[in-house]
Amino acid sequence: ETKSSKSKKKSSAGSASMFQTSGDKDKDKKTKKKAKAEESDDSESEKEEKSKKKKGKGKKKKERSPSPEIEFDDLEKFVMQPAPQGTTIKCRVTRDQRGMDKSLYPLYYFHLDNEQKTFLLAGRKRKKSATSNYLISIDATDLSRGGENFVGKLRSNLMGTKFTVFDNALNPERALPDLSNARQELAGIIYETNVLGMKGPRRMTVVIPGMDKNNERVPLRPRNDCDGLLLRHQNRRTDNLIELRNKTPVWNEDTASHVLNFNGRVTQASIKNFQIVHNKDLDYIVMQFGRIADDIFTLDFNYPLCAVQAFAIALSSFDGKIACE
């Protein structure tokens, strides 16, 4: 499907206000004027690109577009920061199942999808945990809970249908009374249970903290599980929260399957393929994930997600969900 450049520009320009918490939307009127100016500049360059493409038509086979040039000095800081507005960070997730216990506890690696294959994160399911528990590290060789490279974790409920993503700070029980050094909840992921056992695509809801007027994540440090993202969402306490959902796939009669338009970034059918959107703008893809080989997946994410949130959402999709399938 081809969409006009204007609709894409509008969705990226409006993305800031869509994810801001209540009370932080006043400055939008100013940014809209700037967005219009940028739109006119960009449209000229896009016209030039289109004319170049027409000239070279039929010579090259279309390839997956790589990630834009992204530079950072501090990896830990980068993976926790929201993606820059207007930039899709294109990555890939590789699953390593080689070895005696890796079929049960695979290693997952998260790289930028560029020529250098810049390493971002690694994750692994912890052994001897009552529920699914994944550690996320900025070092591919150090996946220990006590290591200095530990940046976050993903924890599920007993059924494997609800997940919470934490950063690497302290448990509230061991933190200071004012919770200033307590861990933050970065995301809650809810998979809809398939009670009837009907075949079809998974349904998921992702809840993340809202963004402030400076486009930074509002810190959420619950004192206990009763004040966490999942309970707040369940009780409709949605202040400072953003609710995202997977985009509903369309049934294709020719292939007899549910399909989504991944613009060439996904090449194989899988129950794990999904796109995450906000209800206010279904064309703005916050995150998309899909298979390109048996153990290789593309993962692209946009503002307001950060790399740790996106990688954790992907890890939750790998976890076995008997109740959802």
Side-chain angles (χ1 to χ4, degrees):
E1 293 176 16
T2 54
K3 306 241 173 176
S4 66
S5 59
K6 281 192 178 180
S7 65
K8 286 183 182 176
K9 294 289 169 191
K10 279 181 186 174
S11 62
S12 60
S15 62
S17 59
M18 190 163 60
F19 302 115
Q20 276 175 17
T21 58
S22 52
D24 286 335
K25 298 180 183 177
D26 298 333
K27 70 166 194 169
D28 275 359
K29 292 173 185 174
K30 292 179 185 175
T31 57
K32 277 182 185 174
K33 287 182 182 175
K34 283 184 185 176
K36 277 188 181 175
E38 287 169 11
E39 185 181 313
S40 60
D41 293 339
D42 289 349
S43 59
E44 292 302 319
S45 61
E46 281 179 12
K47 282 175 188 173
E48 286 175 23
E49 280 178 29
K50 280 180 184 175
S51 63
K52 284 178 187 175
K53 281 178 186 173
K54 281 180 184 175
K55 287 176 187 174
K57 222 175 185 183
K59 290 180 183 178
K60 278 189 179 181
K61 191 179 177 182
K62 190 180 176 184
E63 295 178 3
R64 288 195 328 278
S65 52
S67 185
E69 287 298 319
I70 293 167
E71 295 180 1
F72 50 85
D73 298 320
D74 185 338
L75 177 57
E76 184 172 358
K77 187 178 177 184
F78 173 75
V79 297
M80 296 299 290
Q81 283 179 335
Q85 286 189 53
T87 301
T88 299
I89 300 183
K90 297 178 179 179
C91 308
R92 61 169 56 191
V93 176
T94 310
R95 177 173 57 186
D96 181 4
Q97 301 187 87
R98 294 169 297 177
M100 286 293 288
D101 63 346
K102 284 187 184 173
S103 58
L104 292 173
Y105 302 98
L107 281 166
Y108 298 94
Y109 300 107
F110 191 40
H111 295 82
L112 286 177
D113 196 1
N114 55 13
E115 285 183 15
Q116 296 79 25
K117 298 289 181 284
T118 310
F119 172 79
L120 296 178
L121 296 163
R124 190 173 190 178
K125 194 173 184 177
R126 292 178 75 186
K127 300 173 185 177
K128 299 176 182 176
S129 290
T131 62
S132 293
N133 203 320
Y134 292 80
L135 288 181
I136 300 171
S137 170
I138 52 171
D139 188 325
T141 59
D142 179 16
L143 284 153
S144 59
R145 176 71 175 81
E148 59 182 25
N149 297 305
F150 165 67
V151 289
K153 75 171 184 176
L154 171 74
R155 188 182 71 194
S156 83
N157 64 351
L158 282 168
M159 292 280 287
T161 55
K162 295 181 180 180
F163 295 78
T164 306
V165 186
F166 302 94
D167 69 3
N168 60 353
L170 294 175
N171 187 303
E173 293 174 4
R174 298 195 298 272
L176 294 169
D178 65 354
L179 300 181
S180 57
N181 63 342
R183 67 189 179 194
Q184 291 186 46
E185 285 195 10
L186 302 177
I189 307 147
I190 305 148
Y191 288 87
E192 192 173 304
T193 52
N194 188 351
V195 180
L196 300 175
M198 293 168 67
K199 287 190 175 182
R202 289 176 177 170
R203 293 181 183 176
M204 62 193 289
T205 302
V206 177
V207 187
I208 59 173
M211 311 301 286
D212 64 19
K213 59 186 178 183
N214 298 317
N215 298 322
E216 292 177 0
R217 193 168 45 249
V218 176
L220 181 68
R221 296 184 175 91
R223 194 168 291 278
N224 50 52
D225 289 342
C226 296
D227 193 33
L229 277 167
L230 294 173
L231 259 294
R232 287 190 186 196
H233 177 261
Q234 185 178 312
N235 296 328
R236 299 292 173 210
R237 291 164 53 207
T238 54
D239 294 344
N240 295 336
L241 298 187
I242 299 166
E243 183 184 82
L244 307 169
R245 294 183 182 276
N246 67 306
K247 194 170 186 177
T248 306
V250 179
W251 179 257
N252 186 312
E253 291 289 348
D254 296 333
T255 60
S257 62
H258 291 87
V259 295
L260 285 166
N261 180 15
F262 288 94
N263 292 308
R265 292 286 295 162
V266 175
T267 56
Q268 292 190 10
S270 171
I271 195 171
K272 294 180 176 67
N273 298 353
F274 63 82
Q275 291 178 328
I276 300 291
V277 293
H278 192 284
N279 279 341
K280 287 185 179 175
D281 187 354
L282 300 181
D283 292 325
Y284 182 81
I285 308 297
V286 180
M287 171 182 167
Q288 66 177 21
F289 178 79
R291 188 194 295 273
I292 56 172
D294 284 352
D295 288 308
I296 305 173
F297 302 78
T298 53
L299 193 169
D300 304 339
F301 67 96
N302 283 289
Y303 175 89
L305 288 186
C306 70
V308 169
Q309 288 170 316
F311 186 44
I313 293 168
L315 289 177
S316 76
S317 77
F318 285 114
D319 200 62
K321 296 168 193 56
I322 298 168
C324 299
E325 276 143 34

